[in-house]
Amino acid sequence: MNSLEQAEDLKAFERRLTEYVSCLQPATGRWRIILIVVSVCTATGAWNWLIDPETQKVSFFTSLWNHPFFTISCVTLIGLFFAGIHKRVVAPSIIAARCRTVLAEYNMSCDDTGKLILKPRPHVQ
């Protein structure tokens, strides 16, 4: 395989990698917004739950029953983490990290957008 074919293969690989990472970006942005909104709702509900003077006087489950906003948002947040939202939020960086691991064997790397980085060849004596 001559160097021209190798260069074309590298360009094709880079094009496909950047395309794949860019396709993940919109979904990742939506998952980040969902995670932020549910986290803020949980924090707000927790604050209201903690400052309520009745919280100390009643049982734990009665307290949760008295604060449905906190209870629902907390259960939603836990459900999102069990559904794997933490992986979906960082999916592009996971793909880039795995590609860096493989590309390191070929003296290359890539950035978070999928652009290839060619490293200088080590000098062998």
Side-chain angles (χ1 to χ4, degrees), residues 43-62:
T44 304
W47 176 255
N48 290 331
W49 182 56
L50 290 173
I51 64 170
D52 184 13
E54 290 294 315
T55 300
Q56 297 176 6
K57 298 174 185 170
V58 296
S59 71
F60 176 71
F61 292 109
T62 305

Side-chain angles (χ1 to χ4, degrees), residues 13-100:
F13 177 76
E14 180 182 53
R15 208 171 22 252
R16 183 67 181 120
L17 184 59
T18 55
E19 176 185 315
Y20 186 73
V21 170
S22 66
C23 286
L24 290 174
Q25 292 298 341
T28 300
R30 285 190 293 269
W31 284 115
R32 285 179 182 162
I33 290 170
I34 290 170
L35 182 61
I36 289 169
V37 168
V38 173
S39 297
V40 168
C41 289
T42 304
T44 304
W47 176 255
N48 290 331
W49 182 56
L50 290 173
I51 64 170
D52 184 13
E54 290 294 315
T55 300
Q56 297 176 6
K57 298 174 185 170
V58 296
S59 71
F60 176 71
F61 292 109
T62 305
S63 175
L64 289 177
W65 185 259
N66 291 339
H67 296 276
F69 180 73
F70 169 67
T71 306
I72 291 170
S73 61
C74 190
V75 168
T76 303
L77 185 64
I78 291 169
L80 286 172
F81 274 100
F82 277 125
I85 193 170
H86 56 291
K87 292 177 185 173
R88 294 176 184 173
V89 165
V90 295
S93 59
I94 291 172
I95 298 297
R98 289 179 182 170
C99 284
R100 280 187 206 104

